[in-house]
């Protein structure tokens, strides 16, 4: 059985004022020479025009220049928005950096040296040249995760926004579990709970830990392709188990989990990989179990 867990409750309409506090640089406000650009045929040539107007000497290929500018601008915007909403981004990053020795040890324990990464996973992603396979991305993971739900609710703290979104998902998954497993209580009056849960694409373990709130007592296993992210997960949530592996091919036994969750994973995968991950989730799911998918609203990606 499958359920798409989505945040419910009244959502506040986003307004332009929400971004009003963000500071724009002079370069961001400068309007390009539209007439000069109109005569160009490619994006690379357009970058050359912009660079000349700004007095920039290009020492890299134009498309690489554009990528770096876009990457830095996007990351800067996310960091500023997060800090303005109370997320201690810099402090969080510094905290993980101070514990790098512990992270290195966990990395060696968790990493599967025989795992071959799919091509899509080795590309630049989320503003990082090495994608999810870097310590920079791992160090920023906690703060970035805390900021994920800010675009859904105006005027709320990041803690309240997270609880509104993920809390609704937890409740929906828990209620659905009870609805498909028969009576909510066993003969002894003890609530029926899943014994084993697999969280595919668990990232830094935040979603895995959220599921422990819905199903206390269950054995939780988080799986991700990034050993860097998993090291952060194991450091942050030592009570759970984290495994280096692929959602498309977990190498887990058939019918070995009562619940399988995919939290904020499918929107990051190519279509073929998404289909493979869902097939794999159904393979490791026990008969009568629950497959739960939580993902972003494509209309509210920022």
């Amino acid at each position: 059985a499958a359920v798409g867990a989505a945040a419910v409750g009244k959502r506040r309409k986003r307004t332009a004022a929400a971004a009003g506090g963000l500071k724009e640089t002079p370069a961001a406000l400068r309007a390009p020479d539209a007439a000069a650009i109109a005569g160009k045929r490619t994006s690379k040539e357009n970058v050359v025009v912009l660079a000349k107007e700004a007095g920039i000497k290009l020492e890299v290929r134009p498309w690489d220049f554009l990528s770096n500018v876009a990457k830095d601008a996007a990351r800067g915007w996310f960091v500023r928005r997060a800090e303005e909403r109370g997320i201690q981004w810099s402090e969080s990053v510094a905290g993980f950096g101070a514990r790098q020795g512990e992270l290195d040890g966990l990395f060696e324990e968790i990493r599967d040296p025989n795992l071959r990464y799919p091509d899509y996973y080795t590309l630049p992603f989320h503003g990082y040249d090495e994608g999810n396979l870097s310590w920079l991305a791992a160090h920023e993971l906690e703060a970035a995760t805390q900021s994920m739900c800010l675009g859904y609710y105006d005027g709320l703290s990041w803690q309240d926004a997270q609880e509104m979104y993920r809390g609704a998902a937890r409740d929906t998954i828990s209620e659905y579990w009870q609805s498909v497993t028969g009576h909510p209580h066993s003969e002894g009056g003890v609530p029926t709970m899943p014994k084993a849960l697999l969280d595919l694409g668990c990232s830094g373990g935040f979603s895995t830990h959220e599921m422990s709130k819905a199903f206390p007592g269950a054995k939780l296993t988080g799986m991700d392709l990034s050993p860097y992210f998993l090291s952060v997960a194991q450091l942050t949530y030592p009570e759970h188990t984290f495994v280096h592996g692929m959602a498309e091919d977990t190498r887990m036994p058939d019918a070995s989990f009562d619940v399988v969750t995919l939290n904020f994973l499918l929107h990051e995968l190519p279509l073929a990989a998404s289909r493979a991950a869902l097939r794999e989730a159904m393979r490791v799911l026990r008969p009568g179990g629950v497959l739960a998918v939580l993902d972003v609203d494509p209309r509210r990606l920022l």
Side-chain angles (χ1 to χ4, degrees):
V3 56
V8 295
K10 185 177 181 180
R11 291 177 175 172
R12 303 182 183 182
K13 181 181 292 186
R14 294 180 297 171
T15 65
L22 300 180
K23 298 179 181 179
E24 301 290 351
T25 64
L29 297 174
R30 181 180 57 80
D33 186 340
I37 292 178
K40 300 300 178 182
R41 294 184 178 181
T42 69
S43 295
K44 294 182 179 180
E45 290 173 320
N46 291 346
V47 173
V48 173
V49 173
L50 291 173
K52 288 181 178 179
E53 289 181 11
I56 299 173
K57 294 182 179 180
L58 294 182
E59 296 180 355
V60 295
R61 291 174 299 176
W63 189 251
D64 292 337
F65 169 78
L66 176 62
S67 298
N68 288 333
V69 170
K71 174 188 67 176
D72 292 342
R75 289 186 67 252
W77 185 86
F78 276 107
V79 172
R80 289 195 302 273
R81 182 184 68 163
E83 291 184 334
E84 289 175 359
R85 296 285 289 275
I87 295 172
Q88 298 182 334
W89 191 293
S90 299
E91 291 82 353
S92 176
V93 172
F96 284 112
R99 303 183 70 179
Q100 188 59 53
E102 296 174 75
L103 289 172
D104 288 338
L106 291 170
F107 180 90
E108 294 303 322
E109 294 176 10
I110 291 173
R111 183 177 69 95
D112 179 359
N114 298 316
L115 192 153
R116 183 175 180 180
Y117 297 108
D119 290 341
Y120 71 80
Y121 203 72
T122 61
L123 300 173
F125 191 58
H126 282 168
Y128 302 103
D129 291 337
E130 297 174 304
N132 294 342
L133 298 173
S134 73
W135 284 122
L136 175 59
H139 287 175
E140 293 191 325
L141 187 57
E142 179 183 71
T145 301
Q146 291 171 350
S147 69
M148 283 183 60
C149 299
L150 293 181
Y152 287 81
Y153 310 101
D154 289 333
L156 294 184
S157 68
W158 71 265
Q159 296 95 331
D160 289 340
Q162 285 280 348
E163 184 58 28
M164 286 277 288
Y165 196 90
R166 294 182 185 266
R170 286 197 317 268
D171 293 344
T172 300
I173 295 171
S174 179
E175 291 168 4
Y176 190 80
W177 164 264
Q178 298 294 355
S179 74
V180 299
T181 54
H183 296 290
H185 298 84
S186 64
E187 294 181 359
V190 179
T192 302
M193 289 290 179
K195 296 179 180 179
L197 181 148
L198 176 63
D199 185 27
L200 293 175
C202 69
S203 186
F206 190 85
S207 59
T208 313
H209 188 66
E210 283 293 298
M211 290 301 100
S212 72
K213 300 176 184 178
F215 303 115
K219 176 177 174 55
L220 272 68
T221 300
M223 178 174 287
D224 201 88
L225 263 173
S226 173
Y228 301 88
F229 286 9
L230 291 171
S231 300
V232 168
Q234 197 69 74
L235 182 69
T236 309
Y237 306 108
E239 66 271 29
H240 305 315
T241 300
F242 296 98
V243 179
H244 190 202
M246 292 176 55
E248 303 97 304
D249 182 15
T250 65
R251 301 184 181 181
M252 295 289 187
D254 292 350
S256 51
F257 293 94
D258 301 299
V259 177
V260 178
T261 58
L262 291 84
N263 288 279
F264 303 106
L265 173 64
L266 295 183
H267 75 277
E268 297 186 348
L269 299 180
L271 181 58
S274 294
R275 289 172 171 169
L278 289 170
R279 286 194 297 268
E280 181 69 357
M282 292 301 295
R283 182 187 69 79
V284 301
L285 191 65
R286 288 173 181 156
V290 170
L291 169 61
V293 176
L294 173 66
D295 221 311
V296 294
D297 183 340
R299 298 164 298 180
R300 293 172 176 260
L301 291 177
L302 298 179

